Amino acid sequence: MQTSKEKYFTKQLLNWNKKFNDRKMPWKGIKDPYKIWLSEVILQQTKVEQGIHYYIKFTEKYTNIISLANAKDKEVYKLWEGLGYYNRCKNLLFTARKLRDENAGKFPTNYHEILQLKGIGVYTAAAIASFAFNLPYAVIDGNVYRILARYFGIHTPIDSNEGKKEFTHLANKLLDKRKPAVYNQAIMDFGATVCKPNLPLCNNCKLKKNCIAFISNEANLLPIKNKRIVKKHRWLNYFILINNHDVWIKERTEKDIWQNLHEFYLVESEKKIKWNELNINKQLQQLNIKNYTIKNISKEFKQQLTHQSLHVQFIQILISTKPTTLKRDYWISQNKLSTVAFPKIINEFIKNKDNYLTSS
Ligand code: SF4
């Protein structure tokens, strides 16, 4: 049973949605579970503005689960390039192939079966179940935690077990069971456009009358989180080995960031290395490279991931012969580099004309 305050919240939210919500996104209102799944996976760690472009590219090239399942890994990774968190792409392919092989390329229509699929957590399962099949499951993501913590003045940390239970229970109570798709879309849009993480639009908010955070001026203090993420620092030193028009690259196969993407010869260190002729020479000796020219030592580039802070540097080396210490079939012509999927930070380096990888 909903309390009167809970009833008021649901009613006001749906009212706001009907009268004022003009947020447009290409996947909004669609019923195709494949496209909903794709949009949710893309948006898991990506902003909507960036995600739209990828969603369009994917749905144009792979119009359904079977066409995605039949695609070559290499092509799909290339299309995903720049989105990061490549595990999402790996799981997308795995699940598409499983659905092709075991379910005639169709999504299950039951929440619990959707949840069993690789790469689909409770949030995505609720989104697919409610948007595609109108099933009564509330989506619970950062937006929902934030809105509920503020509106109901909840101080339980959202990353505690107790908090997760409390917010999940409340979110499902608030869900309009007759219109789960409309309600779920409304709360997500409300979080993205009104009750935003920073600087929520409280003064114009249609829910402010009963909002505890607004009344007690606590909007910027809620929701509460226990843990602060401690980031690990990594120094990735890439040796770009160039022989005539060929460059040496390899695929990252380890269970680590950027799995299945490509990179140059990597020397990873636990702290920053000040590269100079001496330590470069030492490194190249290990590869049995004797005749070489140091073409360039780049500045340090930085990339922030959720749990890691990456420091990346590129050292371009021209070599006269290909060393036997490096696998021969990993050499690629420079004009084919654009056909290979690289992590964003490497791709940006390659694409920058000033860093043009040439042996002349
Ligand atoms: Fe969020 Fe402010 Fe509206 Fe409360 S009044 S729901 S904090 S935007």
Side-chain angles (χ1 to χ4, degrees):
M1 271 283 280
Q2 279 186 322
T3 62
S4 56
K5 187 171 169 100
E6 289 163 359
K7 257 189 212 154
Y8 184 78
F9 173 87
T10 304
K11 196 173 156 202
Q12 289 298 103
L13 179 71
L14 291 175
N15 253 345
W16 167 83
N17 183 54
K18 200 169 171 188
K19 292 188 190 150
F20 304 101
N21 184 11
D22 57 1
R23 193 172 182 226
K24 291 190 179 52
M25 291 174 298
W27 51 82
K28 220 170 139 171
I30 57 170
K31 296 280 164 206
D32 179 350
Y34 163 66
K35 289 182 179 165
I36 295 164
W37 171 50
L38 200 57
S39 69
E40 292 301 334
V41 174
I42 288 173
L43 293 185
Q44 272 165 16
Q45 257 118 355
T46 306
K47 292 203 170 99
V48 169
E49 303 75 51
Q50 193 198 2
I52 287 177
H53 169 63
Y54 283 87
Y55 172 82
I56 292 171
K57 278 201 303 185
F58 264 83
T59 48
E60 278 177 1
K61 188 154 189 195
Y62 310 117
T63 50
N64 54 39
I65 292 176
I66 293 186
S67 60
L68 176 63
N70 289 344
K72 287 196 178 114
D73 285 17
K74 219 172 94 184
E75 280 170 17
V76 181
Y77 281 111
K78 186 67 194 160
L79 209 60
W80 192 269
E81 193 177 72
L83 264 180
Y85 299 93
Y86 281 79
N87 233 2
R88 291 183 290 172
C89 187
K90 199 177 163 193
N91 290 337
L92 204 62
L93 272 170
F94 180 92
T95 295
R97 288 170 185 159
K98 188 179 165 68
L99 292 174
R100 174 196 62 193
D101 298 341
E102 296 174 13
N103 213 27
K106 298 223 171 336
F107 248 90
T109 55
N110 165 305
Y111 170 81
H112 295 284
E113 284 177 31
I114 297 171
L115 191 56
Q116 295 299 313
L117 298 169
K118 199 165 179 180
I120 298 188
V122 285
Y123 171 82
T124 309
I128 298 169
S130 61
F131 295 142
F133 309 117
N134 218 27
L135 294 172
Y137 291 91
V139 291
I140 305 167
D141 69 344
N143 281 317
V144 177
Y145 278 119
R146 186 172 64 250
I147 297 164
L148 303 191
R150 287 172 176 172
Y151 185 86
F152 292 93
I154 304 171
H155 286 74
T156 319
I158 58 170
D159 52 353
S160 64
N161 284 340
E162 197 193 346
K164 280 182 189 138
K165 266 189 214 153
E166 186 177 348
F167 282 95
T168 304
H169 179 70
L170 178 60
N172 279 298
K173 266 180 100 184
L174 296 168
L175 177 75
D176 184 330
K177 310 282 188 299
R178 291 161 306 159
K179 304 180 199 162
V182 176
Y183 174 90
N184 276 341
Q185 188 63 59
I187 198 161
M188 282 155 66
D189 290 347
F190 184 72
T193 59
V194 182
C195 198
K196 302 190 281 188
N198 303 313
L199 305 175
L201 311 179
C202 296
N203 287 331
N204 295 324
C205 177
K206 304 293 168 200
L207 276 70
K208 70 180 178 192
K209 203 174 117 202
N210 269 13
C211 173
I212 306 266
F214 178 70
I215 297 163
S216 54
N217 202 18
E218 276 192 315
N220 286 323
L221 302 177
L222 291 170
I224 289 176
K225 268 192 191 171
N226 263 340
K227 296 179 209 132
R228 293 191 61 212
I229 294 171
V230 181
K231 286 200 181 193
K232 178 184 169 195
H233 286 265
R234 295 174 75 172
W235 280 264
L236 307 176
N237 307 284
Y238 282 117
F239 278 66
I240 307 180
L241 301 169
I242 306 166
N243 174 255
N244 292 321
H245 294 288
D246 294 345
V247 187
W248 194 86
I249 58 167
K250 74 175 260 295
E251 189 179 343
R252 284 179 68 92
T253 49
E254 311 80 19
K255 240 185 170 257
D256 190 5
I257 54 166
W258 303 339
Q259 202 179 7
N260 301 113
L261 299 187
H262 290 77
E263 63 183 0
F264 300 110
Y265 181 79
L266 171 66
V267 177
E268 182 163 356
S269 54
E270 283 175 9
K271 54 184 186 188
K272 182 174 171 65
I273 297 178
K274 262 194 136 190
W275 289 104
N276 56 39
E277 282 187 24
L278 210 66
N279 52 21
I280 290 176
N281 184 47
K282 218 169 148 192
Q283 203 62 54
L284 294 175
Q285 290 293 325
Q286 289 182 26
L287 291 172
N288 211 10
I289 295 175
K290 296 194 179 89
N291 295 320
Y292 63 87
T293 310
I294 303 170
K295 189 168 180 235
N296 184 40
I297 304 173
S298 78
K299 62 173 183 151
E300 183 180 286
F301 296 86
K302 290 192 180 147
Q303 186 175 355
Q304 301 300 328
L305 305 178
T306 316
H307 296 98
Q308 300 187 19
S309 202
L310 305 180
H311 307 258
V312 181
Q313 219 178 343
F314 300 93
I315 299 133
Q316 283 167 264
I317 307 284
L318 309 182
I319 56 175
S320 50
T321 40
K322 293 173 181 168
T324 48
T325 45
L326 291 173
K327 285 204 173 176
R328 290 209 79 78
D329 49 356
Y330 288 7
W331 290 94
I332 182 172
S333 168
Q334 288 173 43
N335 53 27
K336 290 210 176 117
L337 283 177
S338 60
T339 63
V340 177
F342 287 100
K344 187 169 163 231
I345 199 160
I346 297 186
N347 221 6
E348 280 172 5
F349 184 82
I350 294 172
K351 282 185 182 157
N352 186 336
K353 289 256 181 302
D354 294 341
N355 301 325
Y356 185 58
L357 309 179
T358 172
S359 56
S360 53

